[in-house]
């Protein structure tokens, strides 16, 4: 299957997907299709899909509404939380506006309290996420997934069957496999495309509501990139960077720009928008669908987990498979779990993997772009 369009056009289409989906969301609502909004990679998307609902990510990535949020929330709070709450309260985010229910999760203290305030003007369902990955935590999380299913059945007066859930699991697994096929192209050295173009597809695909259509589109893109690579179209050899840490997107894409405008190439993202969300599939052979979903989602290696061996396992694997030269960690100001865990990540990268590591702390403003460029340019020069 060959894409007619040039690669730059395709990448820009994915980059614009979030904006284009605003109109698509309105059409879904006109057709009476329920919309479930969520904020986190731990959200068990398949349960909502099994009901026939459209799902959409709500984490906001701009500082536009932070002043509105700071009327209710403290200024020294994570910008992701303030931005999310600000867009929700001001109704400037069409996705939030059209969501019939917003699903939250008890990842960090800031989010937990934000959901309390948000529930005053929106239907919010909060899932109790354990902060460990023990057998007891797995049982708890499985119970939360069942509780979520029962909530949707009651709220929308529907029945969600296990067959419906299995179909949704299969659909999402196919999407993950296609996206893995795309980001695994970056194992090639030199890299076939920029990290920013890779990110446009990974991030943009989360705003495509027809999940079943994604694999064919991504697979076609993969084939085109492979064909052009075989013809000699590739980047020049550059220092290969892994980005880890807080979610990247919107304003924080300045980190990717800082790497790639100063002579490096981002070959892989460990963050929620990258490998973390698509690395593992749900086991389709497991007879208990709730067990399968609970296991897959609870095993995500986020800094809210303690201990957090799964993040190190994924990080180590990506470093080896993508022939990484250096690791850049991006932490958002006042994101305590990632800020504290940065010490352990630095130690792992320096001592276990023998690689250079830099941690850059930032927010959603553009005020620190000069400083970021200076620091990351010096880091790349060292490589």
């Amino acid at each position: 299957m060959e894409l007619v369009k040039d690669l730059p056009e395709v990448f820009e289409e994915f980059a614009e997907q979030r904006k284009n989906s605003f109109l698509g969301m309105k059409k879904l609502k006109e057709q009476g299709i329920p919309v479930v909004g969520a904020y986190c990679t731990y959200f068990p998307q398949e349960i909502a899909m099994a009901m026939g609902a459209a799902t959409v990510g709500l984490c906001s990535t701009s500082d536009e509404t932070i002043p509105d949020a700071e009327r209710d929330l403290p200024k020294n709070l994570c910008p992701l939380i303030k931005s999310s709450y600000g867009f929700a309260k001001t109704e400037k985010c069409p996705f939030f506006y059209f969501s019939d229910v917003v699903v939250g999760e008890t990842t960090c203290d800031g989010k937990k309290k934000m959901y309390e305030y948000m529930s005053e003007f929106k239907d919010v369902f909060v899932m109790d996420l354990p902060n460990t990955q023990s057998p007891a935590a797995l049982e708890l999380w499985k119970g939360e997934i069942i509780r979520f299913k029962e909530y949707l059945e009651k709220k929308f007066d529907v029945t969600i069957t296990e067959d419906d859930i299995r179909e949704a699991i299969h659909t999402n697994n196919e999407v993950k496999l296609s996206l893995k096929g795309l980001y695994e192209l970056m194992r090639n050295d030199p890299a076939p495309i920029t990290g920013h173009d890779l990110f446009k597809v990974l991030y943009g695909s989360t705003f495509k509501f027809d999940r079943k259509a994604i694999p064919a589109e991504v697979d076609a893109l993969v084939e085109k990139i492979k064909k052009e690579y075989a013809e000699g179209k590739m980047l020049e050899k550059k220092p290969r960077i892994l980005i880890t840490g807080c979610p990247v997107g919107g304003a924080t894409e300045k980190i990717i720009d800082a790497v790639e405008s100063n002579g490096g190439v981002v070959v892989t993202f460990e963050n929620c928008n990258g490998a973390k969300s698509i690395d593992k599939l749900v086991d389709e052979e497991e007879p208990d669908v709730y067990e399968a979903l609970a296991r897959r989602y609870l095993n995500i290696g986020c800094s809210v987990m303690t201990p957090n061996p799964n993040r190190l396992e994924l990080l180590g694997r990506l470093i080896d498979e993508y022939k990484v030269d250096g690791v850049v960690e991006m932490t958002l100001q006042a994101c305590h779990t990632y800020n504290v865990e940065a010490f352990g990540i630095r130690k792992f990268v320096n001592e276990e993997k023998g690689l250079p590591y830099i941690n850059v702390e930032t927010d959603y403003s553009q005020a620190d772009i000069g400083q970021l460029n200076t620091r990351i340019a010096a880091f790349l020069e060292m490589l």
Side-chain angles (χ1 to χ4, degrees):
M1 182 178 182
E2 172 109 357
L3 281 175
V4 179
K5 295 174 183 170
D6 291 332
L7 286 178
E9 277 184 72
V10 180
F11 293 135
E12 284 314 307
E13 275 186 19
F14 273 98
E16 292 295 309
Q17 184 60 46
R18 190 170 185 270
K19 291 177 190 169
N20 298 340
S21 294
F22 293 159
L23 289 174
M25 176 67 70
K26 186 170 181 290
K27 287 177 185 170
L28 289 176
K29 294 300 293 180
E30 287 167 354
Q31 294 165 23
I33 295 172
V35 175
V36 178
Y39 284 98
C40 186
T41 312
Y42 285 107
F43 165 57
Q45 188 180 20
E46 291 85 351
I47 297 294
M49 288 170 60
M51 187 188 79
T55 62
V56 65
L58 298 175
C59 270
S60 300
T61 54
S62 153
D63 61 358
E64 181 188 341
T65 62
I66 284 179
D68 297 292
E70 287 176 345
R71 291 178 189 144
D72 298 350
L73 303 176
K75 283 184 168 59
N76 62 340
L77 186 64
C78 157
L80 186 150
I81 296 172
K82 290 191 290 187
S83 176
S84 298
Y85 182 79
F87 273 99
K89 192 180 179 191
T90 59
E91 295 190 334
K92 286 184 177 177
C93 172
F95 294 140
F96 184 91
Y97 177 80
F98 285 121
S99 290
D100 296 290
V101 61
V102 167
V103 180
E105 72 309 311
T106 54
T107 41
C108 72
D109 293 341
K111 271 190 174 182
K112 281 190 282 192
K113 302 313 288 187
M114 177 193 75
Y115 293 137
E116 283 184 33
Y117 297 140
M118 192 179 278
S119 65
E120 293 173 11
F121 52 85
K122 194 76 171 182
D123 280 350
V124 178
F125 181 85
V126 178
M127 300 184 72
D128 288 324
L129 179 74
N131 61 7
T132 67
Q133 293 164 324
S134 65
L138 181 65
E139 277 304 304
L140 192 156
W141 188 234
K142 177 181 168 183
E144 285 299 284
I145 289 175
I146 293 169
R147 186 171 72 89
F148 176 47
K149 179 201 78 114
E150 291 170 348
Y151 167 84
L152 292 180
E153 287 180 321
K154 185 175 179 182
K155 178 174 173 63
F156 295 98
D157 193 22
V158 294
T159 300
I160 300 172
T161 69
E162 291 192 8
D163 284 342
D164 293 333
I165 297 170
R166 286 187 199 286
E167 186 181 343
I169 286 171
H170 179 72
T171 297
N172 249 9
N173 276 351
E174 292 294 303
V175 172
K176 290 188 184 83
L177 283 170
S178 290
L179 291 171
K180 279 180 78 168
L182 174 68
Y183 79 67
E184 284 173 356
L185 292 176
M186 300 299 275
R187 289 174 176 172
N188 287 298
D189 189 10
I193 58 175
T194 67
H196 213 149
D197 282 338
L198 170 66
F199 184 79
K200 286 172 187 173
V201 181
L202 294 176
Y203 188 56
S205 66
T206 64
F207 297 100
K208 288 182 177 283
F209 303 129
D210 183 0
R211 304 289 292 167
K212 289 183 177 177
I214 295 174
E217 195 173 347
V218 174
D219 290 347
L221 176 58
V222 168
E223 287 309 309
K224 188 162 184 69
I225 294 170
K226 280 182 179 175
K227 181 173 179 288
E228 294 198 359
Y229 196 82
E231 293 167 356
K233 293 179 184 174
M234 60 189 72
L235 304 183
E236 61 185 76
K237 202 162 169 58
K238 300 177 179 182
R240 299 167 63 81
I241 300 301
L242 177 151
I243 291 183
T244 184
C246 293
V248 180
T252 49
E253 288 177 44
K254 61 188 174 183
I255 305 296
I256 307 173
D257 292 338
V259 171
E260 301 203 320
S261 64
N262 287 292
V265 58
V266 180
V267 291
T268 186
F269 299 89
E270 186 269 339
N271 321 60
C272 298
N273 329 67
K276 192 174 286 184
S277 63
I278 49 184
D279 180 62
K280 295 268 195 312
L281 304 182
V282 180
D283 182 2
E284 295 185 43
E285 302 302 316
E286 166 63 58
D288 184 340
V289 291
Y290 305 108
E291 176 87 12
L293 283 170
R295 194 175 295 281
R296 187 265 167 198
Y297 281 97
L298 190 66
N299 278 338
I300 292 169
C302 176
S303 65
V304 298
M305 292 294 167
T306 182
N308 187 19
N310 291 346
R311 183 180 179 200
L312 296 181
E313 187 277 327
L314 177 58
L315 202 55
R317 189 153 39 88
L318 292 174
I319 285 170
D320 294 342
E321 291 176 3
Y322 290 80
K323 301 185 279 290
V324 168
D325 297 311
V327 172
V328 175
E329 175 149 29
M330 189 278 289
T331 52
L332 291 171
Q333 288 172 3
C335 179
H336 300 314
T337 57
Y338 272 103
N339 267 312
V340 172
E341 194 165 273
F343 171 73
I345 298 299
R346 177 188 294 275
K347 197 174 174 186
F348 174 78
V349 173
N350 288 165
E351 297 177 14
E352 297 266 333
K353 308 309 288 184
L355 289 179
Y357 164 100
I358 186 173
N359 180 19
V360 291
E361 191 175 3
T362 188
D363 60 11
Y364 286 171
S365 76
Q366 300 301 298
D368 62 349
I369 285 180
Q371 183 193 40
L372 285 172
N373 274 289
T374 302
R375 289 191 65 203
I376 289 176
F379 179 72
L380 292 168
E381 188 70 28
M382 181 183 72
L383 301 180

